[in-house]
Amino acid sequence: MPISLIILGVGGNSLSILDAVEEINRLSANGPVYDLRGFLDDLPENSGKTVLGYPVLGALADAHKHADCKFINGIASPESYKKKPDIVARIGIPRDRYETVIHPRAAISPHCKIGVGTAIMANSVICAEVEIGDHVIILQNTVVDHHSTIGDFATLSSGISLLGFTNIGRNAFIGGAAAVRSYITIGDNALVGMSSVVVKDVAADSIVAGNPARPFKPKVPM
C-alpha cells in the first residue's frame, strides 16, 4: 500500500518536496509509493486553500489527527530556519513517523548515511562517507562531497558546493550557490549568505556573506 504522507508547510521547499513525491510515484513500476494527502500550515491565509491540487488540511498542531500518516517538514528559510527544531518538537510526532524523501534524479552514494525526515532534491549529489542528520533539507543541484557531515535540521539551498571533510552544524542554513572549502566547520545555527565563498570556519549563531565570506550584520534583525 502507498505511504500516506503530509508535508509540513506550503512554501517553496514544500513544493520541491511535492515535486519529488510526484516524480517518485510517476517512476514507480509497482504503483504509487506515496498517497500525498496534502499540507499542514499555520498561516491563516493558507487555511482551506488548495495548493497545486492538494489541500491544506489544517494547522501544524493538527498532525496528531492523522494517525495513519507520515510527515516531512518543508519549513526552512533565512527568516524561519532557526524555528525548525521547535516546530518538530511542538508537533510531538515520534521520530519514526517522519519520512525521508529523495528525488529520483538525485545521485546518492550507497556508502553514505541519511537520517529520517530529510529531503534531498533533484540533481543533488551525495558522495561516499557523508553523514546527514534528521530533518535536513538539501535543495536542487547541491553537491556534498566525501566525508562531510550535515547536522540535524540543517538547510542547504540550491547550487551549493561542499568540498570534502566539511562539517555543517545543527540547524545551520547555507544560502544558494555558496561554496565551502574542504575541512571547514560551520557552527550550529549559523547562516551563510547566498553565493558566499567560505574559506574559514564559521562560528555558531553567526552570519557570514561575501567572497571570501566575512561576518555580516543584516539591516533588519533576523
Side-chain angles (χ1 to χ4, degrees):
M1 287 184 61
I3 298 167
S4 297
L5 183 67
I6 292 175
I7 300 173
L8 305 179
V10 296
N13 296 331
S14 297
L15 302 187
S16 292
I17 293 171
L18 183 155
D19 285 342
V21 168
E22 290 188 332
E23 187 69 356
I24 290 167
N25 283 346
R26 187 182 72 83
L27 294 177
S28 174
N30 299 312
V33 175
Y34 293 107
D35 170 19
L36 183 57
R37 299 286 183 86
F39 305 89
L40 295 177
D41 191 90
D42 280 348
L43 293 178
E45 59 266 32
N46 290 329
S47 178
K49 286 179 63 176
T50 297
V51 178
L52 298 181
Y54 298 92
V56 178
L57 301 166
L60 299 178
D62 294 323
H64 70 278
K65 297 179 181 178
H66 302 275
D68 62 331
C69 291
K70 288 200 167 189
F71 299 87
I72 187 163
N73 180 24
I75 300 171
S77 70
E79 295 75 29
S80 67
Y81 76 98
K82 287 188 176 180
K83 301 176 183 177
K84 285 175 68 176
D86 293 337
I87 289 169
V88 171
R90 176 162 47 91
I91 293 171
I93 296 298
R95 184 175 182 270
D96 63 3
R97 295 275 306 282
Y98 284 95
E99 180 72 1
T100 295
V101 173
I102 299 174
H103 196 287
R105 291 201 302 276
I108 309 295
S109 169
H111 306 293
C112 70
K113 297 179 181 178
I114 300 173
V116 301
T118 285
I120 302 176
M121 298 298 102
N123 301 318
S124 287
V125 179
I126 310 300
C127 297
E129 298 291 347
V130 167
E131 295 190 13
I132 298 173
D134 295 348
H135 304 291
V136 172
I137 295 176
I138 299 177
L139 295 181
Q140 296 84 351
N141 302 303
T142 284
V143 176
V144 182
D145 211 347
H146 60 91
H147 295 94
S148 295
T149 60
I150 313 296
D152 294 345
F153 302 103
T155 302
L156 307 184
S157 300
S158 300
I160 292 169
S161 179
L162 302 184
L163 298 185
F165 295 97
T166 56
N167 178 23
I168 308 300
R170 184 180 189 272
N171 204 36
F173 187 102
I174 315 299
V180 182
R181 195 184 72 182
S182 295
Y183 295 97
I184 291 294
T185 293
I186 294 174
D188 296 350
N189 302 305
L191 186 149
V192 175
M194 63 183 296
S195 299
S196 296
V197 177
V198 183
V199 296
K200 295 182 179 180
D201 289 348
V202 176
D205 299 298
S206 65
I207 301 174
V208 300
N211 180 6
R214 298 181 176 90
F216 175 80
K217 186 175 182 179
K219 294 180 180 180
V220 178
M222 300 180 67

